[in-house]
Amino acid sequence: MHFGTAAAEFDVVVIGAGLGGLSAAAACARAGRSVFVVDAQDGPGGYAHAFRRGPYRFDPAVHVTSLAHEGEVLYEYLRALGALDAVEFLDLDEFYGVELPGFRMRVPHGVDAFIEAHAERWPAQRAGIRAVVRLCQEVFEESQQLSTRTSWRDLDEAVRTSPLMFEHRLSTVDDVMDRFVTDGKARSALSALWPYMGVPPSRLTFTGFCSMLMSMVRRGPSYCRGGFQSLADALAGVVRAAGGLFRYGTRVTRIVIEGGRAAGVVLADGTLVRAGTVISNADATTTMHQLVGAQHLPANYVRRLGRLTPSWSAFVLFAATTLDLAELAPAHETFVFDHWDHDVSEAAIGQGQRGGMWLSVPSLVDPGMAPPGEHTVVFSTLARADCPRWGDRKVEFELGMLERLERLLPGITGTLTFLDSATPRTLCRYTGNQAGAIYGWENTPRQSQPKRLRCVTPLPGLLLAGHWTEPGAGSFRVILSGMQAAAVAIGAANQDDFVARLLVGAGSRP
């Protein structure tokens, strides 16, 4: 798709077709805005962009999502977009599995079942386990009522109505967990979900942990039939159905600034695309320093951006096997640790070793991911991007991951039918994220909502979406970030107004 010599003009240009960008583009298009989406890759999805190798289909990074049951936010958002028929969510029988030295556990979903499963292992900690999980529930419920755009004028009221959120806004998981659960191993098991957020409990934001835990534990996480590419395709389909346009395989080289506001983008081939609103789903530092230029931003915003720290990257092993994994029956997602002390696991990451691992077996819930009689396996570990000579270390790291995988699934190494891997450099090259970050900024208290970058930037006309902005990391949260950016772009007065505009559909264009 080419525009010729004249500059094209749209209401909204979206940079990056990850889930956050697609969510923003879909909502804007559905509300009647003309939308143009540009992405450097060959199709939509970002970290949700699946790939095929022969008969095998793999999700590179997204393995579950949350709040996807009828009546929950993601499900109802897709319904409002008219995209619900294009994606099928599959319920998972369990929440997750945990493997620690000498210890294995299958964790059920359901708040009471989650509490009881841990209390059965540590009976003396029952009261503390129940108290901390109930606190997580209360914090999560408060967070659902708190606008991410709370102004200073509304702060007193927000503190009054959400006292636990504000009390714990700078707390880590360990800060809170230590008050209730005295057994160190019980704490380690309760917080085993932390690789989903990339930061161990000693540094992980407690409010963010509450959101991650409670959004999935109540009714369980969900998987998309065909992989999460189907979710990306569903959102992209909304944009196309409303007349929106995509250009893949093309980079944005500059965000155009005119009269002190964002006015469009320039593509790598020199094409000028004008727009009233630019939404960037790209790396926030790249957006501000390379595409905008620090000279167009307030000095305090530039300083704040420079203080933020990106998350760890990952090393990902992709495998297929003829081993009967249904007989071994691992959980859809299992968190794997070589140490009970999660800080030791993170120290290993910092030393260029594996730590904070998770195993996904998508073909157990969706057999179509592999041929009959075979299974696909994705085994990931958090990893540092600046490890010297990743190219030389790839084979060595791959062998180490295979050895650990064999201990999890005995017999798998002798039954492999496919093997490949991605290093942090692969992720950096593919997404453009600085340091191959898989969660945007680190999910520490001082880099999480409400201290993460807001979707509204100091530059009028420029909005952010994705895991670099509020509410944070995770497939549902980046979709929510796109919803928030779209609400600003279309001028929605509140949540009800936003949903109403989507339900009206493409005929609502002013």
Side-chain angles (χ1 to χ4, degrees):
M1 178 268 297
H2 298 280
F3 300 124
T5 55
E9 188 163 352
F10 296 84
D11 295 324
V12 179
V13 167
V14 179
I15 305 170
L19 291 177
L22 290 171
S23 173
C28 288
R30 180 75 172 179
R33 296 332 190 247
S34 59
V35 176
F36 175 67
V37 183
V38 58
D39 194 283
Q41 297 307 316
D42 60 1
Y47 276 136
H49 186 62
F51 66 91
R52 285 191 177 274
R53 292 294 183 269
Y56 311 111
R57 185 177 177 91
F58 293 97
D59 285 308
V62 183
H63 307 299
V64 296
T65 194
S66 59
L67 301 177
H69 301 90
E70 186 171 4
E72 293 184 324
V73 178
L74 179 55
Y75 185 98
E76 297 304 328
Y77 177 49
L78 293 174
R79 189 205 296 272
L81 289 174
L84 199 54
D85 291 342
V87 60
E88 180 183 358
F89 291 112
L90 303 174
D91 291 341
L92 301 179
D93 292 337
E94 298 172 301
F95 191 175
Y96 57 83
V98 180
E99 171 150 328
L100 287 148
F103 176 89
R104 286 189 176 185
M105 182 178 182
R106 307 293 285 266
V107 180
H109 52 73
V111 176
D112 290 337
F114 180 88
I115 292 169
E116 186 59 29
H118 290 85
E120 284 180 357
R121 298 298 187 106
W122 290 278
Q125 303 294 314
R126 181 180 296 272
I129 290 169
R130 178 173 294 277
V132 77
V133 174
R134 292 302 183 194
L135 176 60
C136 288
Q137 188 173 19
E138 292 173 13
V139 169
F140 174 70
E141 289 169 355
E142 284 189 1
S143 74
Q144 301 308 289
Q145 306 303 317
L146 185 64
S147 169
T148 60
R149 288 185 281 170
T150 300
S151 69
W152 288 110
R153 294 189 305 274
D154 303 324
L155 192 57
D156 287 344
E157 176 64 13
V159 171
R160 187 186 68 79
T161 58
S162 305
L164 294 174
M165 275 287 295
F166 280 88
E167 177 185 349
H168 296 295
R169 69 191 185 281
L170 295 180
S171 298
T172 67
V173 173
D174 273 359
D175 288 339
V176 178
M177 198 85 73
D178 289 356
R179 289 165 37 201
F180 295 95
V181 182
T182 58
D183 187 287
K185 289 187 175 181
R187 291 196 300 269
S188 292
L190 279 166
S191 57
L193 192 64
W194 71 264
Y196 267 172
M197 302 191 75
V199 181
S202 63
R203 301 197 301 118
L204 175 59
T205 163
F206 176 67
T207 56
F209 176 78
C210 294
S211 178
M212 178 69 76
L213 174 66
M214 300 312 300
S215 65
M216 289 192 286
V217 73
R218 294 185 298 177
R219 296 176 67 180
S222 301
Y223 185 73
C224 281
R225 186 178 297 280
F228 281 86
Q229 182 67 59
S230 63
L231 178 56
D233 290 343
L235 293 169
V238 174
V239 179
R240 286 192 294 269
L245 299 178
F246 287 83
R247 184 182 286 189
Y248 297 118
T250 301
R251 293 187 181 278
V252 170
T253 58
R254 181 165 59 89
I255 292 174
V256 178
I257 312 299
E258 293 180 353
R261 63 172 291 119
V265 300
V266 176
L267 308 183
D269 63 3
T271 300
L272 171 63
V273 184
R274 293 192 173 276
T277 301
V278 176
I279 301 175
S280 180
N281 186 213
D283 177 285
T285 300
T286 298
T287 297
M288 296 304 175
H289 282 283
Q290 297 182 24
L291 302 185
V292 172
Q295 70 274 19
H296 296 293
L297 299 166
N300 62 343
Y301 189 84
V302 174
R303 286 194 298 270
R304 181 187 177 198
L305 190 64
R307 289 194 295 266
L308 296 172
T309 304
S311 75
W312 293 114
S313 186
F315 185 98
V316 188
L317 193 72
F318 303 100
T321 177
T322 56
L323 188 65
D324 187 357
L325 295 184
E327 183 177 341
L328 290 175
H332 173 78
E333 196 93 323
T334 301
F335 295 98
V336 183
F337 305 97
D338 290 331
H339 311 279
W340 278 94
D341 186 336
H342 294 314
D343 286 336
V344 175
S345 293
E346 186 179 44
I349 299 166
Q351 294 163 7
Q353 305 301 317
R354 64 175 185 260
M357 298 167 276
W358 60 104
L359 169 70
S360 304
V361 190
S363 54
L364 285 174
V365 66
D366 184 2
M369 302 297 283
E374 296 190 52
H375 286 282
T376 52
V377 173
V378 181
F379 190 31
S380 310
T381 179
L382 297 170
R384 57 180 293 180
D386 60 349
C387 187
R389 296 167 28 208
W390 257 119
D392 296 340
R393 291 200 65 216
K394 180 177 179 178
V395 173
E396 171 196 341
F397 214 93
E398 200 173 85
L399 290 173
M401 290 287 284
L402 272 176
E403 180 273 330
R404 190 65 182 88
L405 184 60
E406 176 68 23
R407 284 190 276 151
L408 287 167
L409 304 173
I412 192 170
T413 54
T415 58
L416 292 175
T417 54
F418 174 82
L419 183 68
D420 200 357
S421 61
T423 71
R425 289 187 180 179
T426 310
L427 301 184
C428 183
R429 183 174 64 251
Y430 184 78
T431 65
N433 285 348
Q434 58 177 307
I438 58 170
Y439 298 123
W441 308 117
E442 278 191 329
N443 289 294
T444 57
R446 294 192 177 278
Q447 295 192 166
S448 299
Q449 187 178 342
K451 292 182 173 293
R452 219 170 182 87
L453 295 178
R454 295 196 168 195
C455 75
V456 177
T457 74
L459 187 66
L462 176 62
L463 304 172
L464 299 180
H467 54 198
W468 303 99
T469 185
E470 296 175 327
S475 56
F476 168 71
R477 286 161 193 77
V478 298
I479 290 172
L480 182 57
S481 78
M483 294 166 61
Q484 293 173 173
V488 175
I490 67 176
N494 52 44
Q495 181 175 317
D496 290 341
D497 183 34
F498 175 66
V499 173
R501 291 174 185 236
L502 301 187
L503 291 174
V504 168
S508 65
R509 182 173 181 174

